Amino acid sequence: GYIYDKRGPRFAGVLGALVCAACFALITVSLQWPRLNGLVWIAVPLCDCAGGLVSLAMWGFAWHLPEHQATVSSLYMVSAPSWLPAARARARANKAASSAQASMSVSFCMAFVATFLVQSKTRVHVSPTYVWLIYSAFAMLSAVMIGASAPSSSEFHREASLVTGAESKPPESHICRTSCHVLRAWSRHSARNVLFVIFATLTYCWVGAWASAYVQLVDLTLDAKNGQRMLTLFAFVGGFFSGVVQPVVGYIFDKIGLRLFFGIVNIALLINVCLMDTVVPALRPFRIQVIVLMISSFVQSSWAVVILRWNIYFVPPSLNGTAIGVTFAVAGLAQVSAQFRLAVRLNVYQRAVVISLAY
């Protein structure tokens, strides 16, 4: 987030794409030579962080389209930069870009396609090594396309200044002080922001913990054939449904406003939490799994949109990226902390009460 604020959307996107390309190449090397398998421990986390920079490139259009910022937020998770030229053209016409693939969706689909190519017994069979090289090449192409279409830092701040009526410029302080500026901006409405961070953290941790345990649950519960079927469903619904729903979520947000949309997200989250603790552990019936995955995709898509849109209300444009990063960092640290694992063990009714109170 700080890199985005400091150097602008174009620099952040290009840097992220180049780092992703390098990380995919490192994974290729680690697969080719077993002695270098340890490179995966470097490549995967670094690639995850770099992917966030690529996604932030779309957020650079937020102030080009002030009446459609939630729609831009829904496209924030974009990984396929071929949508950026269309977004820029629509921005100049003062229209919102209306469709794109969320980065989580693209990630799911990339894994799905990679598995198909590796396991295929037809002419399209590709070794795992070459799959990662292909993705590395696509990432390099992404860097070129982002560089040609994403807004520069000066363009971003010029548009933000026109919309807000106040001068906007990149932060001049280092990352720690900039993060403190975000916290100071939040403190002007401390009660609201503390409750929101609690809500966002609980949503992230409970949905994330369920998703990360899903594969293990399938392995323990189902045979190989049905397990593969369930994981294929997980990948397809998580990829395709999120990619379709994400832009719709932003459009609805723009139409009905934060307060009402927040209520819809909370209801969906409560339903999802109840189903996760009752129906999902049994992994039956199959059609219920589709419903659970669709609701989960909606909650995850809405979660990212709400976080970006929320921070617009409470921090200036020059701190948007850092504010998003701080929110994600709090949620991530909470998920991995030993103290929070005790809270995750709350039963479904206790979770519903906690989430509703925070809402």
Side-chain angles (χ1 to χ4, degrees):
Y2 175 76
I3 293 175
Y4 171 86
D5 287 337
K6 188 73 173 178
R7 302 302 299 271
R10 182 182 301 168
F11 179 89
V14 171
L15 176 63
L18 291 177
V19 173
C20 281
C23 291
F24 289 147
L26 282 179
I27 294 175
T28 301
V29 172
S30 70
L31 292 174
Q32 191 70 24
W33 291 281
R35 292 171 57 185
L36 299 176
N37 283 164
L39 289 176
V40 171
W41 292 96
I42 301 174
V44 172
L46 190 59
C47 191
D48 189 36
C49 296
L53 284 175
V54 176
S55 299
L56 277 170
M58 176 57 77
W59 183 238
F61 291 103
W63 299 103
H64 292 70
L65 306 164
E67 297 180 356
H68 305 282
Q69 287 180 329
T71 305
V72 176
S73 300
S74 70
L75 307 182
Y76 150 77
M77 305 295 280
V78 168
S79 275
S82 58
W83 290 97
L84 286 174
R88 172 176 284 278
R90 289 170 180 263
R92 287 176 177 170
N94 200 26
K95 297 179 181 179
S98 60
S99 60
Q101 291 282 350
S103 65
M104 177 174 287
S105 310
V106 174
S107 299
F108 270 120
C109 293
M110 285 174 64
F112 186 74
V113 171
T115 302
F116 171 78
L117 293 176
V118 171
Q119 296 181 349
S120 175
K121 297 181 180 179
T122 63
R123 294 182 179 180
V124 297
H125 172 77
V126 179
S127 71
T129 302
Y130 289 116
V131 167
W132 291 110
L133 282 178
I134 292 172
Y135 286 162
S136 181
F138 274 119
M140 293 291 290
L141 177 62
S142 299
V144 175
M145 298 185 69
I146 293 172
S149 53
S152 64
S153 178
S154 59
E155 180 182 350
F156 172 82
H157 290 287
R158 182 175 66 251
E159 295 294 331
S161 299
L162 290 174
V163 173
T164 62
E167 182 183 6
S168 178
K169 59 181 180 180
E172 299 177 353
S173 54
H174 53 74
I175 183 171
C176 294
R177 182 165 294 180
T178 303
S179 300
C180 291
H181 291 165
V182 170
L183 297 177
R184 193 174 297 116
W186 281 353
S187 66
R188 295 170 187 167
H189 303 274
S190 56
R192 298 179 185 181
N193 284 291
V194 167
L195 287 173
F196 176 75
V197 170
I198 291 174
F199 180 89
T201 301
L202 292 174
T203 306
Y204 180 82
C205 291
W206 283 332
V207 176
W210 164 76
S212 62
Y214 196 85
V215 175
Q216 297 180 6
L217 182 64
V218 168
D219 289 339
L220 293 173
T221 309
L222 302 176
D223 56 39
K225 181 179 179 180
N226 288 324
Q228 183 65 37
R229 183 186 179 202
M230 191 63 68
L231 292 178
T232 300
L233 172 70
F234 186 86
F236 178 78
V237 174
F240 178 78
F241 185 77
S242 292
V244 172
V245 166
Q246 190 95 12
V248 177
V249 166
Y251 178 79
I252 294 174
F253 195 141
D254 283 326
K255 290 296 183 181
I256 66 177
L258 174 65
R259 190 183 300 274
L260 183 56
F261 183 80
F262 208 1
I264 295 174
V265 173
N266 186 60
I267 293 172
L269 179 60
L270 292 175
I271 296 173
N272 204 35
V273 167
C274 294
L275 291 176
M276 281 191 284
D277 273 26
T278 54
V279 180
V280 173
L283 288 176
R284 65 178 189 271
F286 191 79
R287 63 181 179 275
I288 299 298
Q289 304 304 312
V290 177
I291 296 175
V292 174
L293 290 172
M294 291 174 67
I295 296 176
S296 178
S297 297
F298 170 76
V299 171
Q300 293 181 46
S301 301
S302 304
W303 182 81
V305 174
V306 168
I307 286 180
L308 269 73
R309 194 65 182 86
W310 178 276
N311 279 304
I312 291 178
Y313 287 107
F314 298 104
V315 298
S318 60
L319 298 177
N320 281 163
T322 306
I324 295 166
V326 170
T327 308
F328 284 7
V330 171
L333 291 173
Q335 188 179 25
V336 301
S337 66
Q339 292 80 4
F340 194 79
R341 291 178 185 176
L342 298 175
V344 174
R345 294 173 184 172
L346 296 174
N347 63 41
V348 60
Y349 304 108
Q350 292 169 329
R351 294 185 191 188
V353 170
V354 171
I355 292 175
S356 297
L357 287 175
Y359 165 71

